[in-house]
Amino acid sequence: MRKNIINDLESKPTGKRWFILFLVCAITFINYLDRANLSVAAPFISKEFMLDPAKMGLIFSALSWSYTVMQIPSGWFLDRLGPRLVYGVALCGWSAFTGIVAFTFNFTSMIFCRLGLGFFEAPAFPANGRIVTTWFPSKERGSAIGAYTASEYVGLALCTPILTWLLVTFGWRVIFIVTGILGLLFAFIWFTHYNDPAHSKGINKEELELIKEGGGLSDTVSEQKKITKKEIKYLFTSRQLWGMYIGGFAITAILFFFMTWFPSYLVNEKNMAILKVGIYGALPYLAAIAGVLVAGKWSDWMISRELGLGLSRKLPVIVGLLLSSVIMVANYTTNVNVVITFMSISFFGQGMASAISWALLSEIAPKDLVGLCGGTYNFVANMGGALSPAIVGYLISRTGSYSSALVFVSCMALIGALSYIFIIGKPKRIIIPN
């Protein structure tokens, strides 16, 4: 009897993929903590360095300049070297630049640090997509991507109250020292605990078969494969991918408004005290977490009911982007509770769209180019992150209020929804012809 129980346990798939997902979620949490910590400190930095909204907009955007430029090279490195090395080095690098922000003294030094942060953060989401595509069968992939996408918003949600407390208690420079050290600690954990399934300890053949038979890659994609010009060209000419690129641009533009200008919006436009911002400001981020989890479960439920890849992966994104477009309603009320409600609805929708866009990409990316395809997607999408904070800063400087900025964010959401509806078409795995 005991022998049968042991044999049954041994024949069941192990759960190593869930531990890997935990690591990815933790690092994604740190990634967004390090991106958004500046937004909490911004009102104090702008006052100390005497920076107007236009200059703060450039500082907010600087991360995305280098982040965007490095997306395609990051994807190439991931396909050649694998995520263990590339992700680990990236985490060390961006954590170091986060800590260095504490020693900045003017506009130029701040720009330099944000450029360095963006340079090293570039491999993060292509690596996340590649890891989940490698470790998870298709039926679990939406939930897995939803989990690590939710981690970004957990970082943003906790960022606001905890970092606000650090700022008030110890000053804004301590925020960057603490978050930088946290990243370096997790870099050590990553190097000592991650590997691809075929080379990982603690995984049995049943889990490997579950991954492979369910559409996961299971084994590492050949890292010595030569990537041709034709393959790269195809990534920029595919209608499916361009539909995703435009949608991704819109999704990221919305995200970066919340990551950069949102706390300043509450302080300067709604005259909130900084400690009150720490409480109210966390609510939309919590709503985004709910959006990510709802979208992931909903999408996987539709997949399990065989409702089709197009409906299962596209509908949550379209609904999410349409919900995001309601942000401009905040222009028509002075009631803070109503403002936060519409901000929360908008960010809930952004969370829905963000989670499933990566799930859809994992379903259609060429199998031998998952890292490069993720890098290309992130390259175009993060142009939205590069432009959005600067455009918002310009609009605020030009008009003296945030009203036009909210209209801009709303328009981005509608453009993204239209792209998913009319451009992507019926999604399917891309096979590049010989």
Side-chain angles (χ1 to χ4, degrees), residues 16-341:
K16 185 63 182 283
R17 64 194 185 283
W18 300 110
F19 173 73
I20 296 300
L21 181 61
F22 164 76
L23 286 181
V24 170
C25 288
I27 295 172
T28 302
F29 168 89
I30 294 168
N31 182 293
Y32 270 77
L33 196 65
D34 290 347
R35 294 189 196 196
N37 48 20
L38 179 63
S39 68
V40 175
F44 293 83
I45 292 172
S46 60
K47 188 176 292 185
E48 182 174 327
F49 294 167
M50 294 182 289
L51 304 173
D52 61 23
K55 285 189 175 180
M56 280 307 302
L58 292 175
I59 291 173
F60 282 139
S61 293
L63 177 149
S64 290
W65 302 341
S66 53
Y67 184 89
T68 300
V69 167
M70 285 302 298
Q71 283 306 301
I72 295 175
S74 294
W76 184 85
F77 279 120
L78 281 164
D79 286 329
R80 297 281 291 183
L81 303 175
R84 183 177 183 274
L85 177 62
V86 175
Y87 212 173
V89 171
L91 178 54
C92 289
W94 89 58
S95 299
F97 271 98
T98 297
I100 294 171
V101 172
F103 304 97
T104 55
F105 52 90
N106 59 14
F107 173 79
T108 303
S109 59
M110 187 67 74
I111 288 283
F112 171 77
C113 286
R114 295 293 285 183
L115 288 172
L117 183 64
F119 179 91
F120 280 103
E121 283 200 348
F125 270 76
N128 287 352
R130 188 178 189 278
I131 291 163
V132 167
T133 304
T134 300
W135 273 92
F136 283 85
S138 182
K139 67 181 182 180
E140 296 175 348
R141 205 172 295 154
S143 296
I145 292 173
Y148 78 66
T149 307
S151 300
E152 7 172 316
Y153 301 102
V154 172
L156 296 172
L158 293 181
C159 166
T160 307
I162 294 176
L163 296 187
T164 298
W165 176 80
L166 283 173
L167 183 150
V168 171
T169 307
F170 301 104
W172 67 264
R173 296 179 188 273
V174 172
I175 290 174
F176 299 96
I177 294 172
V178 170
T179 50
I181 291 172
L182 180 64
L184 291 173
L185 289 174
F186 265 86
F188 173 78
I189 296 172
W190 176 259
F191 276 121
T192 54
H193 288 83
Y194 180 81
N195 217 324
D196 285 330
H199 308 98
S200 187
K201 296 179 181 178
I203 184 172
N204 63 8
K205 71 175 184 177
E206 285 77 16
E207 186 173 14
L208 281 171
E209 289 172 1
L210 173 70
I211 294 168
K212 196 166 187 178
E213 291 173 5
L217 300 183
S218 184
D219 296 320
T220 306
V221 176
S222 174
E223 287 144 12
Q224 301 305 314
K225 178 187 180 297
K226 185 177 180 180
I227 299 171
T228 66
K229 290 182 181 179
K230 182 179 180 180
E231 290 172 325
I232 294 174
K233 182 181 178 182
Y234 203 85
L235 296 182
F236 285 99
T237 55
S238 166
R239 174 175 170 170
Q240 279 193 103
L241 290 177
W242 266 109
M244 292 209 62
Y245 296 157
I246 296 169
F249 182 100
I251 292 166
T252 310
I254 300 165
L255 173 63
F256 268 72
F257 168 77
F258 282 97
M259 279 180 52
T260 56
W261 284 107
F262 179 56
S264 296
Y265 166 77
L266 295 180
V267 171
N268 298 325
E269 187 81 357
K270 301 304 175 183
N271 300 312
M272 277 194 189
I274 188 66
L275 285 176
K276 197 173 182 180
V277 169
I279 299 170
Y280 273 83
L283 296 178
Y285 301 133
L286 294 173
I289 296 170
V292 168
L293 298 177
V294 167
K297 288 293 184 182
W298 182 24
S299 180
D300 281 354
W301 177 84
M302 287 190 284
I303 287 283
S304 69
R305 295 299 186 276
E306 299 182 349
L307 297 179
L309 185 62
L311 184 67
S312 302
R313 297 307 196 206
K314 287 173 61 178
L315 184 59
V317 178
I318 294 166
V319 171
L321 286 166
L322 293 175
L323 288 174
S324 289
S325 68
V326 307
I327 192 171
M328 61 184 273
V329 177
N331 286 335
Y332 303 100
T333 179
T334 57
N335 186 303
V336 172
N337 292 324
V338 176
V339 167
I340 293 297
T341 297

Side-chain angles (χ1 to χ4, degrees), residues 246 249-251 253-254 321-322 324-328 346 403-419:
I246 296 169
F249 182 100
I251 292 166
I254 300 165
L321 286 166
L322 293 175
S324 289
S325 68
V326 307
I327 192 171
M328 61 184 273
S346 179
S403 297
S404 57
L406 298 191
V407 173
F408 163 74
V409 174
S410 185
C411 289
M412 285 289 99
L414 292 174
I415 290 170
L418 292 173
S419 175

